[in-house]
Structures are given as structure tokens and as C-alpha cells.
């Protein structure tokens, strides 16, 4: 037996209707957990006319029956093949900063947007240490790498599905096609004593024994958090073996025993080391030459214009094996279809009484919407989808955040296009 759910939404002067028909229990996740296609059960998705938000960008609401009740959500579909349509990273002006999605979208002139990566939201395990607000995974904006990924054991958010890492990203290349990729840091620190690997770029958690570089893109947030926890235990104590070296125009300007805070000037790099990395930095003297190189390297050859972190849930048309089918929550997701030319941005409502989705159910839903690849983004109180109506200078929140108001987040996915 199938159940029909019809939702109508007025957007501007256009009425959008989305009808989703699912079999009772079709998205319960049994097939998804084993990595099989959720489409093996009844797979019916009917859509009415979507409301155009801009050239190549449409918006609609949806609702869907699940065993726990009704799920309500919002979907923006982006045609990247249309001239003038693009996506880019929304941020708060620094890696270590947070802002509401609507404010970030408004500042950039985006016509739509959703929240992005999981982030360093709290430091209850390390009393007195300031949470940075920085994202977990890599980030690229306008072709420029902003940060690398923290170790897997240092991430915030639900457990990673098997085979995924904090280096997994959703990208859009110079060819204007969206893809899932994995970005690794390739960098070095060259001193008079030799060359050592650079293990981090503008990140809130350094690998044990590593050296990280902090640039003007980091912001004014304290760098102490970078030396807390371990590669496998986020709650482990902060290291007592640390060092910080300020390099300005290629020469050591300052050496300190502990990481500091405050903005990093253009032309300056602050190196933070822990354990073995700290021992390497303590060999330096003021005035010595230091050369720092860093770049993010993907598994695909395309030059990147944009990247945001999360974790994959659908790849090559199939849900990943081992996705969670128990814990339901408010979710945000991004899907890729039509050979990378279509991007789906989805956010659920968080109002009381709204059933959430498990990761397995979310993967099945993204398949039904047309995604061949999909990524789960930060959810819960972070889940936000915004839209700017034609003629408006501000972006309006379209979903109902579970906390009753927007949560400041470090980054998001912005959609840019011409509006009438």
C-alpha cells in the first residue's frame, strides 16, 4: 500500500507542489544498511511544478511518510550547466569564525544556500580551552585552499561510515561539474636543519607530533585547541610539549612555548607544533630562513574552485555499505546528478513532531531525488536552508531550525545565479 503526501508552498507568484509517494517502510533502511539500492522497494517520486528562484535554480518543499511519522523538508535544485549559475563557499570571513547561513548568503549575494561541514562546536572536555568554530574537513573557496582536514578521531558529528574520512569533500571544478573527492594536504617546512612535512593548514586539531601552518585566513581565534586531544581520542588532554614560531617574509620573527591567539598578518605564517613537531620548531632561531609550502591534492585531476567537507552516503548510484539505520535526526545533504551538472541541496524541518531521517533513509531519499552521489552535511540545530526572493536584498530561512533559530556555523554552500 502506498501513501500520498502533498505539500503546497507559495514562493513569489509561483505555486510549487511536490508529491512524494513511498511504500510503508520503503525507506526504513533495511536494504540501505547492506549497501543495496533502496530503490529495490517501491520507488515512486512524483513532482509537480517547482518554483523558480533564479535562472537555473528551483525551490520546492516536500513531505514523506516514514514509520515514525512525517518528514518535512526543503529542496533547492541547481543546474550548473546554465550560464551564470555557480556555487561557492559561504563563510564568516575566517576559518575560525561562525555566522548564520542567511547572513553569509546575504553578504555574498547568494540566491540560495545551506549549512556545510561539521565543526568544533564545544570544548567541554578541555576546560579553559576556547572552541574555534572551525570546520572538520578541507575547504576551498574561489580556487584557494583555506584549510585541511583534522584527524578522523578529532572530528565532531556522527560516526563516519566505513571507508570514509575527514578528507572527503563535495567539490565543483573549473569545468563547472560537481563531484565527490578526497583532499589531502601536501606541504613542507624547510629550515636550515632540513625539511619536515607540514601536517595541517588552518585546522583546530593537529596530528600528534605534527606541525601546522596558520595564515591570515585563520582569523583571530586561539590556536591552543590545535594541541589538544589525539588522533584517536578527541577528549584526550592537551599536549604539554608545544611550540609556536612566527615566520614573516620568510624569516623567523618570534618563538614561543605555547600557541597564541590574534590575527595573522598577510605575508606571515604562524607554525604550531606538538611533541615531535614542537621539538623541530624549537631548533629554530630568530632571523633564520624558513620556507613553508602547502597545497590540497585531490584524487581527481580537475582544478577545484570550491570544496566543502562532510561524509559520502551515496556513491556511483548506490548507498554506501554500513550506513546507520537507527538514529533519526534533522539532516542536511547535498546530492549530485546528471554527470555533475545538477546539484541538489536538501534540508529537513526541525520543528517538534517532525520525524527525522536516519543516514540510511537520507541516502535512499537522495537517490529518489536523482542523485548519483550524495554527501551528508552537518545536521541537528545546524540544518538551515535559505532562499532570496527576486528583488529582495536578504536571504530568508525556509526550513524550521530545530533550535528555534539559526545556529551560527563556519561555512555553507552558496548558490549564485541571475534573478529577474
Amino acid at each position: 500500500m502506498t501513501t500520498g503526501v502533498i505539500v503546497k508552498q507559495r514562493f513569489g507568484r509561483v505555486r510549487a507542489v511536490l508529491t512524494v509517494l513511498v511504500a510503508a517502510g520503503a525507506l526504513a533502511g533495511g536494504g540501505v544498511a547492506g549497501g543495496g539500492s533502496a530503490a529495490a522497494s517501491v520507488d515512486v517520486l512524483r513532482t509537480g511544478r517547482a518554483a523558480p528562484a533564479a535562472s537555473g535554480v528551483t525551490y520546492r518543499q516536500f513531505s514523506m511518510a516514514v514509520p515514525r511519522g512525517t518528514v518535512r523538508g526543503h529542496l533547492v535544485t541547481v543546474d550548473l550547466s546554465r550560464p551564470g549559475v555557480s556555487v561557492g563557499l559561504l563563510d564568516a570571513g575566517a576559518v575560525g569564525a561562525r555566522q548564520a547561513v542567511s547572513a553569509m548568503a546575504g553578504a555574498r549575494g547568494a540566491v540560495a544556500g545551506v549549512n556545510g561541514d561539521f565543526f568544533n562546536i564545544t570544548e567541554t572536555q578541555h576546560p579553559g580551552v576556547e572552541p574555534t568554530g572551525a570546520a572538520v574537513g578541507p575547504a576551498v573557496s574561489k580556487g584557494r585552499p583555506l584549510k585541511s582536514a583534522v584527524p578522523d578521531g578529532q572530528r565532531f558529528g556522527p560516526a563516519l561510515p566505513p571507508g570514509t574520512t575527514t578528507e572527503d569533500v563535495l567539490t565543483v571544478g573549473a569545468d563547472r561539474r560537481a563531484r565527490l573527492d578526497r583532499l589531502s594536504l601536501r606541504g613542507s617546512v624547510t629550515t636550515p636543519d632540513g625539511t619536515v612535512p607540514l601536517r595541517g593548514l588552518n585546522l583546530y586539531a593537529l596530528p600528534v607530533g605534527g606541525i601546522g601552518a596558520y595564515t591570515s585566513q585563520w582569523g583571530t581565534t586561539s590556536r591552543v585547541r590545535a594541541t589538544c586531544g589525539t588522533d584517536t581520542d578527541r577528549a584526550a588532554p592537551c599536549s604539554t610539549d608545544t611550540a609556536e614560531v612566527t615566520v614573516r617574509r620568510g624569516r623567523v620573527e618570534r618563538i614561543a612555548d605555547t600557541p597564541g591567539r590574534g590575527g595573522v598578518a598577510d605575508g606571515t605564517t604562524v607554525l604550531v607544533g606538538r611533541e615531535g613537531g614542537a621539538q623541530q620548531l624549537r631548533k629554530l632561531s630568530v632571523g633564520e630562513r624558513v620556507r613553508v609550502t602547502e597545497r590540497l591534492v585531490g584524487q581527481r585531476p580537475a582544478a577545484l574552485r570550491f570544496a566543502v567537507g562532510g561524509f559520502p552516503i551515496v556513491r556511483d548510484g548506490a548507498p554506501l555499505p554500513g550506513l546507520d539505520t537507527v538514529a533519526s535526526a534533522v539532516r542536511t545533504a547535498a546530492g549530485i546528478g546528471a554527470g555533475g551538472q545538477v546539484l541538489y541541496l536538501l534540508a529537513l524541518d526541525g520543528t517538534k513532531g517532525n520525524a527525522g531521517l536516519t543516514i540510511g533513509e537520507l541516502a535512499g531519499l537522495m537517490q529518489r531525488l536523482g542523485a548519483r552521489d550524495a554527501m551528508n552535511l552537518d545536521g541537528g540545530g545546524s540544518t538551515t536552508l535559505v532562499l532570496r526572493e527576486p528583488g529582495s536584498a536578504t536571504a530568508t530561512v525556509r526550513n524550521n531550525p530545530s533550535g528555534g533559530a539559526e545556529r551560527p556555523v563556519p561555512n555553507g554552500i552558496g548558490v549564485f545565479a541571475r534573478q529577474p
Side-chain angles (χ1 to χ4, degrees), residues 18-388:
L18 177 66
T19 304
V20 182
L21 300 182
V22 296
L27 288 179
V32 172
S37 172
S41 39
V42 176
D43 184 22
V44 180
L45 177 67
R46 294 179 181 176
T47 61
R49 185 173 56 173
S55 173
V57 183
T58 59
Y59 163 75
R60 56 171 67 103
Q61 290 186 355
F62 67 87
S63 67
M64 182 175 66
V66 295
R68 298 172 302 283
T70 301
V71 176
R72 294 179 176 83
H74 306 255
L75 178 71
V76 168
T77 304
V78 185
D79 184 354
L80 293 171
S81 69
R82 294 283 290 273
V85 177
S86 65
V87 298
L89 190 75
L90 301 177
D91 61 41
V95 170
R98 296 195 287 155
Q99 198 172 28
V101 176
S102 61
M104 293 191 289
R108 288 283 308 277
V111 300
V114 296
N115 64 288
D117 201 356
F118 300 89
F119 62 97
N120 175 206
I121 189 171
T122 183
E123 281 303 321
T124 55
Q125 303 96 337
H126 307 115
V129 175
E130 177 184 353
T132 66
V136 167
V140 174
S141 178
K142 299 179 181 178
R144 181 178 63 176
L146 299 183
K147 68 177 302 294
S148 60
V150 302
D152 288 353
Q154 288 270 18
R155 68 183 300 276
F156 287 74
L160 287 171
T164 66
T165 84
T166 54
E167 294 184 342
D168 286 313
V169 288
L170 170 75
T171 73
V172 175
D175 58 359
R176 296 167 49 82
R177 290 181 182 267
R179 300 175 178 86
L180 298 185
D181 203 346
R182 186 168 288 179
L183 296 183
S184 302
L185 178 66
R186 296 288 184 270
S188 63
V189 180
T190 301
T191 74
D193 287 333
T195 299
V196 295
L198 184 71
R199 302 291 302 282
L201 172 65
N202 291 327
L203 76 179
Y204 68 79
L206 275 172
V208 172
I211 297 174
Y214 294 80
T215 69
S216 59
Q217 298 157 348
W218 171 251
T220 60
T221 304
S222 170
R223 297 176 288 275
V224 169
R225 175 60 184 84
T227 59
C228 299
T230 67
D231 299 359
T232 58
D233 183 4
R234 192 182 75 203
C238 299
S239 176
T240 58
D241 186 5
T242 64
E244 181 174 275
V245 171
T246 301
V247 179
R248 179 169 174 78
R249 296 177 181 174
R251 290 188 180 273
V252 175
E253 183 178 77
R254 181 176 178 271
I255 302 172
D257 292 331
T258 58
R261 63 169 301 139
V264 179
D266 289 338
T268 299
T269 300
V270 174
L271 298 174
V272 175
R274 57 179 297 177
E275 297 89 33
Q279 294 165 24
Q280 292 288 338
L281 293 181
R282 282 197 291 268
K283 295 178 181 179
L284 293 168
S285 301
V286 172
E288 286 188 320
R289 287 192 175 277
V290 174
R291 181 170 180 262
V292 181
T293 65
E294 76 276 335
R295 61 193 180 105
L296 294 177
V297 178
Q299 296 181 327
R300 299 174 181 272
L304 299 183
R305 299 299 301 164
F306 155 83
V308 69
F311 61 80
I313 55 175
V314 178
R315 199 189 296 274
D316 296 327
L320 269 64
L323 296 180
D324 178 66
T325 61
V326 177
S328 63
V330 180
R331 309 283 184 187
T332 308
I336 302 167
Q341 293 185 312
V342 173
L343 186 66
Y344 305 97
L345 302 178
L346 177 146
L348 300 184
D349 273 331
T351 48
K352 186 177 181 179
N354 254 9
L357 290 176
T358 69
I359 299 295
E361 290 170 336
L362 181 65
L365 175 58
M366 297 307 291
Q367 279 187 293
R368 287 167 169 75
L369 294 172
R372 289 275 301 171
D373 300 288
M375 175 165 281
N376 180 59
L377 302 170
D378 191 10
S382 298
T383 290
T384 310
L385 185 146
V386 303
L387 204 66
R388 180 162 58 88

